[in-house]
Amino acid sequence: LCALRYPKGSEADYDRSGFKAVGDGILREGDEDAKIVVISYSRVMKEAYAAAKVLRQKFKTSCVKLLKLCPLDREAVISACRGADIVCIVEEGMKRGGMGEEISSILSAEKDAPKTLIIAVEGFLPHGEISDLYSLCGFEAESIVRSIWKKMQE
């Protein structure tokens, strides 16, 4: 049994109608031949999806929602990211040892591996309102877009 816990609330509401299953516990929405893939799960998924929609205005972009983290369907993750130039993983968990590092490791072993960007918690956070903490961590859609744009320039 594996469960995701949403501290201080539940998963945010957003339009999930375009997401289709692509593996065990993995949903995908957007361009099949995406050059940018945004991966997320839990509460921050709303912001990751909003960022993907903004990016889609200029780039072929898809958004991947993880429903199950363990065991992770590695082949589905690889398939969902195949051909991408950049994969951005957004998670409310710790950056070191988190799902972002796991996915980055999986993708780095592939031929023509994409650049990866992990947006996650680094260090200890103060107590605060969710909106303030999202801003501090760069979890807002606008911050995610800026971080991806910066990674594209590298």
Side-chain angles (χ1 to χ4, degrees):
L1 177 66
C2 181
L4 293 179
R5 178 179 170 263
Y6 299 119
K8 283 193 166 188
S10 61
E11 185 176 23
D13 193 29
Y14 59 94
D15 180 15
R16 297 170 178 82
S17 62
F19 285 87
K20 307 288 184 235
V22 294
D24 184 21
I26 299 180
L27 305 177
R28 180 179 179 169
E29 184 277 341
D31 299 307
E32 291 291 322
D33 56 346
K35 293 302 176 187
I36 300 172
V37 177
V38 180
I39 301 175
S40 193
Y41 61 95
S42 86
R43 204 172 37 185
V44 75
M45 183 68 203
K46 178 180 180 179
E47 297 296 324
Y49 180 50
K53 289 195 318 187
V54 169
L55 291 162
R56 191 171 297 127
Q57 295 172 11
K58 293 188 179 188
F59 308 99
K60 291 188 175 203
T61 304
S62 70
C63 190
V64 173
K65 177 180 174 80
L66 303 177
L67 300 176
K68 183 170 87 171
L69 304 180
C70 187
L72 182 64
D73 186 341
R74 298 168 61 94
E75 292 306 314
V77 169
I78 292 167
S79 177
C81 298
R82 191 166 284 122
D85 295 328
I86 295 179
V87 174
C88 175
I89 305 103
V90 183
E91 66 174 318
E92 285 185 79
M94 297 301 293
K95 186 172 187 174
R96 294 183 191 265
M99 188 53 56
E101 280 193 347
E102 175 71 15
I103 292 170
S104 182
S105 174
I106 290 168
L107 295 176
S108 70
E110 294 298 304
K111 181 182 177 191
D112 298 322
K115 293 180 185 178
T116 56
L117 169 65
I118 303 169
I119 300 175
V121 176
E122 296 187 66
F124 292 101
L125 294 177
H127 289 279
E129 295 297 319
I130 295 296
S131 59
D132 295 334
L133 297 175
Y134 270 31
S135 180
L136 183 64
C137 294
F139 292 157
E140 297 163 319
E142 299 82 14
S143 295
I144 296 168
V145 170
R146 278 194 304 273
S147 294
I148 292 171
W149 179 251
K150 183 177 176 184
K151 187 74 172 179
M152 290 171 70
Q153 305 309 308
E154 291 180 359

